[in-house]
Amino acid sequence: MRGRETHGYGQRVEQDIRFLPVRGHRLAYATVGTGPPLVVPCWWVSHLELQWRDPGFRRFFETLAPERLLVRYDRLGVGLSDRELEPDSLSLEDDVTTLLALLDHLELERCTLFGGSSGGTTAAAFAARHPERVDALVLYGTFEHGAAITSAEFADSIVSLVRAHWGAGARLLADIFLPGGDETDRHRFARFQREAATGEVAASMLELVYRLDVRKLLPGVEARTLVLHRRDDRAIPYACGRSVAARVPGARLVPLGGNEHFPWRGESQAVLAAIDGFLNGRDAAATSGAPAEAPDTLSTREREVLALVAAGFTDREIAEQLVVSPHTVHRHIANIRRKLGQPTRAAAATQAARLGLI
């Protein structure tokens, strides 16, 4: 399903919507543009078609990925994906499996993940479990443990209201998610939520959000990681983002001003600038010219790996030479990049050669 739209600011863009069989259901996904893939794991509820009609949403992602292949999808149970879903089947494992199936379907061996809000837990879990598939990880307004978002009593009251009266629940969530919005904004967003999911599915997905826990997985993330969080976010407290950054090895935390939860609202340019600098190697760690740790912290095995990288061997070939698993090689290279403050394996090898480490 391909829709060509003329934007109010003069740009003509196509969104290509297709479907993928996943666990006996049809998953809707959308692609825009060409280039290195930027994949956006689904948030709480979404709707590919309705969100792309929103000028602010569309402008944000077009600016974020002008020379990339942007991939978005509706999780099973919401949006354009099949709605027939057993709420009890929702889990982080299902989210990770769905993301893997989509990458395999699109034949994307590696990608950058942009995980926002609850989609950040999917992105982080995927990066930890499939390090060979992730080049970089951007986490915005997310958390490591759903129980830290709010009190159990308040969480239960929200879920109960959404399940009992989806109209009132959607309005309450609009107040939380759009603190800077006017009455028209909140009315539209409440209606969007009701069109994107049923009250029962929405309540079940909120319950999933509050029980998500990736604390044990975050230390296993090897991809270079940027964590963005607005200091006065009313939906996901800033402390949650700080905790994520503290637990991911080498992650860079960028605090942002404002209280809007969605990155395309409020001071969106600050969000875009931080992500652009990170993805294009202009963040502090990549441009400082100095290693993040002293060079002598490289282990003997890490130097062996670096020497083979410099010689042009692939990760799999290095694994065969050193008689280790490819996953072990991926982990060594991630540690090396972090220690040398370099964005890629090639840059790390060049830096190591300049410093006389290999």
Side-chain angles (χ1 to χ4, degrees):
M1 183 165 69
R2 184 183 293 267
R4 180 181 290 273
E5 303 180 16
T6 302
H7 298 168
Y9 43 94
Q11 190 173 4
R12 186 181 292 268
V13 169
E14 286 188 343
Q15 176 178 239
D16 194 2
I17 299 176
R18 298 178 185 272
F19 296 87
L20 164 69
V22 174
R23 301 194 302 277
H25 300 280
R26 290 167 299 185
L27 180 85
Y29 68 92
T31 57
V32 177
T34 59
L38 176 65
V39 181
V40 184
C42 55
W43 291 37
W44 168 54
V45 296
S46 63
H47 195 298
L48 296 174
E49 185 179 11
L50 297 181
Q51 286 178 304
W52 202 244
R53 291 180 190 172
D54 180 280
F57 178 94
R58 189 174 63 233
R59 187 182 301 113
F60 177 86
F61 281 102
E62 287 174 351
T63 304
L64 178 64
E67 297 179 353
R68 292 177 179 267
L69 172 67
L70 176 66
V71 181
R72 301 162 39 240
Y73 61 97
D74 289 333
R75 74 193 320 155
L76 295 177
V78 308
L80 294 179
S81 293
D82 280 356
R83 299 290 187 94
E84 300 79 15
L85 184 68
E86 291 295 330
D88 292 342
S89 69
L90 296 171
S91 70
L92 180 63
E93 288 294 336
D94 285 339
D95 287 341
V96 171
T97 300
T98 296
L99 180 53
L100 179 61
L102 179 58
L103 295 186
D104 287 345
H105 173 73
L106 294 174
E107 298 182 346
L108 302 178
E109 293 186 4
R110 299 182 67 84
C111 69
T112 293
L113 292 177
F114 174 50
S117 195
S118 60
T121 59
T122 302
F126 185 90
R129 291 174 178 168
H130 302 281
E132 74 283 0
R133 306 295 293 267
V134 181
D135 284 321
L137 180 64
V138 178
L139 301 174
Y140 170 87
T142 191
F143 55 92
E144 59 175 354
H145 188 203
I149 296 174
T150 189
S151 68
E153 293 77 15
F154 188 61
D156 288 343
S157 66
I158 293 177
V159 171
S160 297
L161 179 60
V162 168
R163 181 168 280 125
H165 195 298
W166 188 200
R171 289 194 295 272
L172 172 62
L173 290 170
D175 291 341
I176 295 173
F177 286 131
L178 304 183
D182 57 23
E183 188 61 30
T184 299
D185 291 333
R186 295 178 185 180
H187 174 74
R188 288 175 177 169
F189 184 68
R191 184 176 62 186
F192 160 76
Q193 293 177 107
R194 295 195 304 271
E195 293 181 2
T198 66
E200 179 58 38
V201 168
S204 295
M205 288 186 173
L206 274 177
E207 289 174 326
L208 171 63
V209 168
Y210 292 130
R211 69 172 183 265
L212 285 171
D213 188 347
V214 294
R215 288 176 292 180
K216 292 183 179 179
L217 294 174
L218 292 180
V221 173
E222 298 178 4
R224 62 191 190 97
T225 301
L226 175 68
V227 179
L228 303 168
H229 213 109
R230 285 174 168 152
R231 290 189 179 275
D232 298 314
D233 189 333
R234 288 180 55 187
I236 308 293
Y238 171 74
C240 292
R242 179 185 177 280
S243 295
V244 169
R247 204 175 290 267
V248 175
R252 180 186 176 206
L253 172 66
V254 176
L256 300 169
N259 61 0
E260 294 283 0
H261 181 57
F262 297 128
W264 52 88
R265 292 183 57 85
E267 295 296 324
S268 60
Q269 287 302 316
V271 182
L272 291 167
I275 297 175
D276 179 69
F278 174 74
L279 294 183
N280 292 290
R282 293 192 297 274
D283 61 296
T287 59
S288 64
E293 299 182 20
D296 61 3
T297 60
L298 291 183
S299 68
T300 300
R301 177 48 61 91
E302 287 170 345
R303 292 173 188 243
E304 291 175 342
V305 170
L306 259 181
L308 293 171
V309 169
F313 289 96
T314 66
D315 289 1
R316 185 168 295 279
E317 290 169 339
I318 294 173
E320 293 175 352
Q321 289 225 19
L322 299 180
V323 195
V324 297
S325 70
H327 176 75
T328 298
V329 174
H330 295 318
R331 184 176 294 277
H332 280 312
I333 291 177
N335 288 337
I336 292 167
R337 284 169 42 201
R338 175 176 56 81
K339 290 179 179 181
L340 296 180
Q342 298 301 318
T344 66
R345 65 202 300 278
T350 299
Q351 176 80 337
R354 186 177 69 81
L355 295 172
L357 300 177
I358 57 174

